[in-house]
Amino acid sequence: MSPRNLAFGLYEVLDAEALTQRPRFAEHSRETFDAALATARTIAEKYFAPHNRKADENEPRYVDGRAELIPEVKPAVDAFLEAGFLNANRDFEVGGMQLPSLVSQACFAHFQAANAGTTAYPFLTMGAANLIESFGTEEQKRLFLQPMIEGRYFGTMALTEPHAGSSLADIRTRAEPAGDGSYRLKGNKIFISGGDHELSENIVHMVLAKLPDAPPGVKGISLFIVPKYLANPDGSRGPRNDVLLAGLFHKMGWRGTTSTALNFGDNGQCVGYLVGQPHQGLACMFQMMNEARIGVGMGAVMLGYAGYLYSLEYARQRPQGRLPDSKDPLSPAVPIIAHTDVKRMLLAQKAYVEGAFDLGLYAARLFDDTQTADDETSRNQAQALLDLLTPIVKSWPSTFCLKANELAIQILGGHGYTREYPVEQYYRDNRLNPIHEGTEGIQSLDLLGRKLAQNNGAGLKQLIRLIAGTGERASHHPNLDPLRQPLEQLVNRLQGVTLALLGDLAQGTVAGALANSALYLKAFGHCVIGWRWLEQAVHAELGLLKGNPADRDFYLGKLQAARYFLTWEVPGCHNELALLEARDNTCLTMQDEWF
């Protein structure tokens, strides 16, 4: 990523230094933040990036019932662990770095950009560890969490089953009480990322299953720790559990991450341990899923970002053709970045990836506020806004940073489609993110069907106030009027559409109100990204007023990207809003037989 853009986002837009005034981060400073970021960049460049292509070309192999990876993966993961990034947010007392989430997310973004496949292993482990920390017993924390913090055990989340897909209400994995406080699980899970490898002493699977007395649907789901190897009472690793690697899936991207089919209890001896209360597993798992949704969104950003920077450099160096007003066929060819349509594609990429990058960092800043803001009211407000924005943080980059990858391929022309250049891999890797942690359709139902009305619309009301505040500050800069006005028009119309759809839901017209939720998600997401771009534009104007010649081009580039998004992209959302206002039922009334 661009170090200058990172510094802009952290210190000018989101004021990361202000976090050092909070007691939890009082021992930190901009210097310690920058040192952590520099270390992350160094490790990502030295250990993660070099085997990104090799891992793509040499997928994990199923050998004698286990998954075999290329040898470069373990030194990379070990360097990540040794530097402390697995516990970047944890307390100093347990060996953590006690960094704000804003900074740790920025550190982790370097690894996501360098090698999505290898980064998945610690990513999943962090989520599983946080889950046990929040809901596990003291014994579970001693036996499983502590080795995970130490980097000796890794973790996964095991949700999906062959017949159910995303419909968790229909899972069939069962858990029978064993009489000694443990349970015996039996079932099958698929698409379990990181489900088998030799990178750690043990793998702790967080598994959704149903107890014998489970009520039907999602209210009957419980959560279990199911380790690959059992734990001895003294904390040492015990014998192999009845968890079998049934096979590996071979996906179009993220080829360096094992995607596994796991059988639990083929021999009737799969030991698991209940986490939290019976039948409350999905509520627990949503903590890990929401963390993962934000992480997936940032992963999509960084893959889009990597493609953008590569295609930008290529466009600067690749001579081809002459400008339309050039009359001399013998004149030197110009770099393709001089062609207006190439500039259009680069501007679109910049608008997508830098807008989404800012949103991902903003979400991390909100998480810090949920934990360390000065008062309970502020913490609750931050949580309400983070809940509302999570479907956008996950889905918008997964859609539009993927579009950035498409444009990167196009800029490279024929070379973009070959494996000699990395942009086709960035695209393939990013193409998985629209399905990771819930499809666009699932996110749209979550946003429109749940999050908007949650807590009497507290998150939505807060978002509207914040957008209005940015607009008010932008109004002091006349140059920003053409950018501010399209956003204000979209917000005003979106509010009306939102109230109407929520009214439909309140009256029980559920199918009709949610039929076009994907259109709503797109318009809402563009509104949020438009707000973040207007916020960046305000700070770019302030930066220009400081008059530093070295920063002038950077700030002008920010303003141009903001102009592109707010005047090219945002007005197009009125088409979606018109369809929503009309309650268009084209898709809803389509019949199977008509296809």
Side-chain angles (χ1 to χ4, degrees), residues 91-220:
D91 295 345
F92 291 129
E93 289 74 17
V94 296
M97 300 168 73
Q98 208 160 308
L99 285 172
S101 287
L102 172 59
V103 179
S104 65
Q105 185 74 267
C107 289
F108 196 70
H110 290 84
F111 302 102
Q112 292 174 303
N115 190 320
T118 295
T119 301
Y121 298 104
F123 172 67
L124 291 160
T125 301
M126 289 186 279
N130 291 339
L131 200 55
I132 297 173
E133 186 170 37
S134 294
F135 302 106
T137 65
E138 291 306 311
E139 181 74 351
Q140 289 169 351
K141 292 176 185 178
R142 182 179 71 85
L143 294 177
F144 301 107
L145 174 62
Q146 187 56 39
M148 293 171 83
I149 291 175
E150 294 168 5
R152 296 189 294 111
Y153 290 9
F154 277 17
T156 76
M157 53 196 301
L159 288 68
T160 307
E161 298 185 6
H163 67 282
S166 299
S167 182
L168 296 179
D170 299 319
I171 64 171
R172 295 173 184 162
T173 299
R174 291 288 182 259
E176 298 279 348
D180 60 357
S182 67
Y183 294 80
R184 297 296 176 268
L185 276 75
K186 186 169 183 60
N188 311 99
K189 300 288 184 177
I190 62 169
F191 299 139
I192 309 307
S193 297
D196 195 76
H197 53 73
E198 302 294 331
L199 300 173
S200 57
E201 295 176 25
N202 203 354
I203 302 174
V204 179
H205 303 292
M206 307 303 296
V207 182
L208 294 183
K210 292 188 175 183
L211 296 167
D213 61 344
V218 295
K219 295 180 179 179

Side-chain angles (χ1 to χ4, degrees), residues 82-93:
E82 182 66 26
F85 289 111
L86 188 70
N87 301 301
N89 298 107
R90 295 191 186 281
D91 295 345
F92 291 129
E93 289 74 17

Side-chain angles (χ1 to χ4, degrees), residues 394-405:
K394 189 275 166 186
S395 65
W396 199 93
S398 297
T399 299
F400 288 94
C401 292
L402 179 64
K403 290 185 183 297
N405 289 124

Side-chain angles (χ1 to χ4, degrees), residues 387-555:
D387 286 344
L388 176 69
L389 292 178
T390 294
I392 305 300
V393 177
K394 189 275 166 186
S395 65
W396 199 93
S398 297
T399 299
F400 288 94
C401 292
L402 179 64
K403 290 185 183 297
N405 289 124
E406 291 180 16
L407 292 169
I409 290 172
Q410 188 69 21
I411 287 171
L412 266 69
H415 295 301
Y417 296 84
T418 68
R419 291 199 175 188
E420 284 71 29
Y421 292 81
V423 290
E424 64 86 29
Q425 183 187 342
Y426 295 146
Y427 176 85
R428 286 187 290 102
D429 284 342
N430 218 355
R431 188 60 187 83
L432 271 64
N433 285 316
I435 199 169
H436 283 157
E437 301 309 322
T439 63
E440 185 175 354
I442 289 172
Q443 303 301 327
S444 69
L445 293 173
D446 183 38
L447 175 66
L448 185 54
R450 293 181 61 246
K451 296 295 176 60
L452 288 170
Q454 197 167 279
N455 298 320
N456 295 315
L460 180 60
K461 293 171 186 174
Q462 189 181 172
L463 176 63
I464 291 169
R465 286 196 301 271
L466 289 168
I467 295 174
T470 301
E472 195 280 327
R473 285 184 286 113
S475 69
H476 298 292
H477 304 276
N479 290 340
L480 298 184
D481 285 346
L483 283 62
R484 174 176 56 84
Q485 291 163 357
L487 179 62
E488 291 175 347
Q489 292 166 6
L490 178 62
V491 171
N492 290 336
R493 193 172 182 186
L494 185 62
Q495 286 186 72
V497 170
T498 301
L499 290 173
L501 291 173
L502 291 178
D504 288 355
L505 288 170
Q507 293 171 15
T509 315
V510 177
L514 298 179
N516 299 319
S517 59
L519 297 180
Y520 186 88
L521 182 75
K522 188 239 176 168
F524 194 96
H526 265 55
C527 180
V528 170
I529 297 294
W531 164 51
R532 297 314 304 164
W533 263 118
L534 188 60
E535 185 71 28
Q536 290 189 71
V538 169
H539 287 280
E541 285 283 345
L542 295 174
L544 283 173
L545 290 174
K546 294 177 182 178
N548 184 350
D551 280 333
R552 179 175 170 78
D553 286 341
F554 173 80
Y555 291 129

